[in-house]
Amino acid sequence: WQEEGWAVSGLGKRRCTYPGCESPDRSVCFILVGPETYDADRDWAPLRGSVLCCSCYSHFRRFGTLHRAQGARRSDIAVKQL
């Protein structure tokens, strides 16, 4: 999926620009969302010019939003279902 965006190597850009990111400075990779970014049939246009960490990029790719629901974690839900 990294080929869809642009890997960011500039020292000043190694920070996720999503304000809700939990770890904006720590990631395996950072991806610049450019005009050519097309992945998972999502509308990336509102994010053009943004630098996203791998976690935020993957979350948007999967769910179509950067917002992460607050509340119970999946592991908590799985325990309750047992």
Side-chain angles (χ1 to χ4, degrees):
W1 49 267
Q2 286 182 343
E3 289 119 22
E4 304 300 332
W6 301 330
V8 176
S9 59
L11 294 175
K13 296 188 180 195
R14 290 188 165 259
R15 180 175 176 82
C16 184
T17 56
Y18 172 53
C21 182
E22 295 175 359
S23 301
D25 296 316
R26 290 176 284 166
S27 182
V28 174
C29 67
F30 295 88
I31 298 168
L32 174 63
V33 179
E36 296 86 14
T37 302
Y38 178 83
D39 198 3
D41 201 30
R42 301 289 184 201
D43 180 12
W44 294 86
L47 297 174
R48 284 188 186 131
S50 297
V51 175
L52 299 178
C53 65
C54 288
S55 178
C56 289
Y57 183 92
S58 296
H59 187 83
F60 187 84
R61 182 178 182 264
R62 184 170 181 194
F63 299 105
T65 181
L66 288 172
H67 179 74
R68 295 177 189 256
Q70 300 295 320
R73 295 181 179 169
R74 289 183 188 183
S75 59
D76 296 337
I77 294 169
V79 169
K80 289 178 185 177
Q81 290 177 349
L82 295 176

